[in-house]
Amino acid sequence: MACITLLLAILHVHKALCEAIFWDTAIQLSKTMTLECVYPLMDNLTQVEWTKISGAENVNIAVYNPNHPMHIDHNYFHRVHFLNATLEFRNMSLSFYNASEADIGIYSCLFHSFPGGPWEKKIKVVQSDSFDITAPSNDCLSEEPGQNVTLSCQLPNNWPVKQVMWEKVQPHQVDVLASCNLSQRTTYTSKYLRKTWSNCSQGTQSVLIIPNATSADSGLYRCRSEASTGEQKTYVIRLIITDDGANKHFILPIAGGSVSLLLVILIIITIIFYSRRRRRQVRTPLKEPSDKQSKVATNCRSPTSPVHSTDDEKEDIYVNYPTFSRRPKPRF
């Protein structure tokens, strides 16, 4: 009977440990999903391994060594690929084709480096709705880019806080930025690409600092505190970083469009002005030949025309006729 009780206790502890696997990023299940894994340090990398954690065993997915060809397990051969794998293989993000519910679970991305040693990131794939819908904001903070942004979370005073966790919540994924176990005074090293800092000391509030904030840091930040009794409290802050560059990019097209419109109007006005002026210039030469033709028509007359000009009336007329000698008339 004692052996059975001990066995049940061991199974219970094992189950609890399996369920309490800490993850760095939670991803929403979709047919085409990408598990992001980028090595942030400058150590020399020797090998990277992708596995799926299934209970007490790990199922191999892919192994890459620069001295050997890429090896992908036959169960994942036509279902996964590496989008951004480079020659140094620091970016070994794993993408899925036609993922299904069978792909729900926790995945491990393990880099072997020298002299840093192993570096592991755990990613949890869950079937969930948009993460930001389940995290309504309690507060809103607006800051300018380039500043060190400080997010603060008031911790409960009525019960002792055991652990505090800061997360960035996006529609398709949740990333753990900081995790502090206040009872054991241990700090979690974030696998998130953006470097942040958080205090891990007993106090009335927890602080998350984002250095040199940019527009990419805008979004929802969740502070989760947990007591030793299991009680939990959640506080969500919406951070808005006003991007001057984005405003300029927004203003410049408007200004450019206004200038272009004004230029088009000026061109149209100029064309209309010159076209009218040209018409006037064309009409004037056409009238002059018609006047000249009318004058020529009045000055030129036919020999039989009875109309004479006043100048013709004043001209002398000379007539040639023969002269006859005068003879005396004969007398009868």
Side-chain angles (χ1 to χ4, degrees):
M1 186 68 181
C3 294
I4 297 176
T5 305
L6 179 61
L7 180 60
L8 292 175
I10 293 174
L11 292 175
H12 179 74
V13 171
H14 177 74
K15 181 180 179 181
L17 290 175
C18 293
E19 291 178 352
I21 294 178
F22 183 82
W23 49 266
D24 302 280
T25 300
I27 297 290
Q28 180 184 11
L29 175 66
S30 61
K31 288 186 177 180
T32 55
M33 61 180 182
T34 299
L35 311 184
E36 186 182 71
C37 185
V38 181
Y39 187 73
L41 305 178
M42 298 305 295
D43 297 334
N44 294 325
L45 300 177
T46 58
Q47 184 170 294
V48 62
E49 302 172 8
W50 270 100
T51 58
K52 182 178 180 181
I53 302 174
S54 178
E57 62 176 352
N58 293 344
V59 178
N60 292 326
I61 298 176
V63 179
Y64 178 72
N65 188 299
N67 300 322
H68 301 279
M70 172 78 73
H71 171 74
I72 299 179
D73 189 83
H74 67 278
N75 293 322
Y76 293 91
F77 188 75
H78 295 291
R79 300 179 54 233
V80 298
H81 68 288
F82 295 90
L83 281 178
N84 301 316
T86 60
L87 184 61
E88 296 82 9
F89 65 94
R90 294 184 182 275
N91 186 348
M92 295 299 294
S93 299
L94 187 67
S95 297
F96 278 76
Y97 294 115
N98 297 323
S100 62
E101 293 184 0
D103 296 314
I104 294 176
I106 298 179
Y107 295 81
S108 170
C109 172
L110 177 62
F111 280 92
H112 297 275
S113 65
F114 179 83
W119 181 92
E120 186 179 17
K121 180 179 181 180
K122 291 185 173 65
I123 302 173
K124 184 178 182 180
V125 178
V126 296
Q127 188 173 22
S128 173
D129 295 330
S130 181
F131 290 112
D132 57 356
I133 296 177
T134 59
S137 59
N138 303 106
D139 194 6
C140 184
L141 180 64
S142 179
E143 296 288 345
E144 295 181 356
Q147 304 294 326
N148 294 337
V149 177
T150 301
L151 305 178
S152 59
C153 171
Q154 190 69 31
L155 299 179
N157 298 323
N158 53 351
W159 41 265
V161 179
K162 174 184 176 182
Q163 186 173 0
V164 179
M165 182 182 296
W166 281 94
E167 301 168 327
K168 184 175 182 181
V169 183
Q170 302 181 63
H172 66 288
Q173 75 181 48
V174 177
D175 294 286
V176 178
L177 306 181
S179 180
C180 303
N181 192 320
L182 302 180
S183 60
Q184 300 178 2
R185 295 186 178 181
T186 57
T187 305
Y188 157 78
T189 302
S190 175
K191 305 302 188 299
Y192 188 59
L193 290 178
R194 184 72 167 93
K195 298 299 181 181
T196 58
W197 179 85
S198 178
N199 64 332
C200 286
S201 58
Q202 292 285 354
T204 58
Q205 65 179 2
S206 177
V207 172
L208 178 73
I209 297 177
I210 305 174
N212 299 322
T214 64
S215 59
D217 295 317
S218 298
L220 294 177
Y221 291 83
R222 180 168 57 193
C223 172
R224 300 170 63 180
S225 55
E226 182 180 354
S228 56
T229 57
E231 297 177 271
Q232 295 183 354
K233 182 179 179 181
T234 302
Y235 188 78
V236 180
I237 303 173
R238 178 177 294 277
L239 176 62
I240 300 175
I241 304 297
T242 57
D243 190 357
D244 294 339
N247 293 336
K248 290 180 181 178
H249 291 307
F250 178 73
I251 293 172
L252 286 177
I254 297 178
S258 302
V259 172
S260 301
L261 180 60
L262 181 60
L263 183 61
V264 170
I265 293 174
L266 290 176
I267 292 174
I268 294 174
I269 294 175
T270 304
I271 293 174
I272 294 174
F273 174 77
Y274 279 103
S275 61
R276 289 183 178 179
R277 184 175 180 182
R278 187 182 181 90
R279 288 178 183 176
R280 291 176 183 175
Q281 291 177 353
V282 170
R283 288 177 182 177
T284 302
L286 288 176
K287 289 181 179 180
E288 291 178 356
S290 62
D291 296 340
K292 290 181 180 179
Q293 289 178 2
S294 61
K295 289 181 181 179
V296 171
T298 54
N299 292 335
C300 298
R301 52 188 176 84
S302 62
T304 57
S305 175
V307 181
H308 301 280
S309 63
T310 55
D311 295 337
D312 293 341
E313 291 178 356
K314 293 181 181 180
E315 291 180 356
D316 295 335
I317 300 175
Y318 297 93
V319 178
N320 293 327
Y321 59 90
T323 56
F324 298 96
S325 60
R326 293 183 179 180
R327 294 179 182 180
K329 294 181 180 179
R331 295 179 179 178
F332 298 98

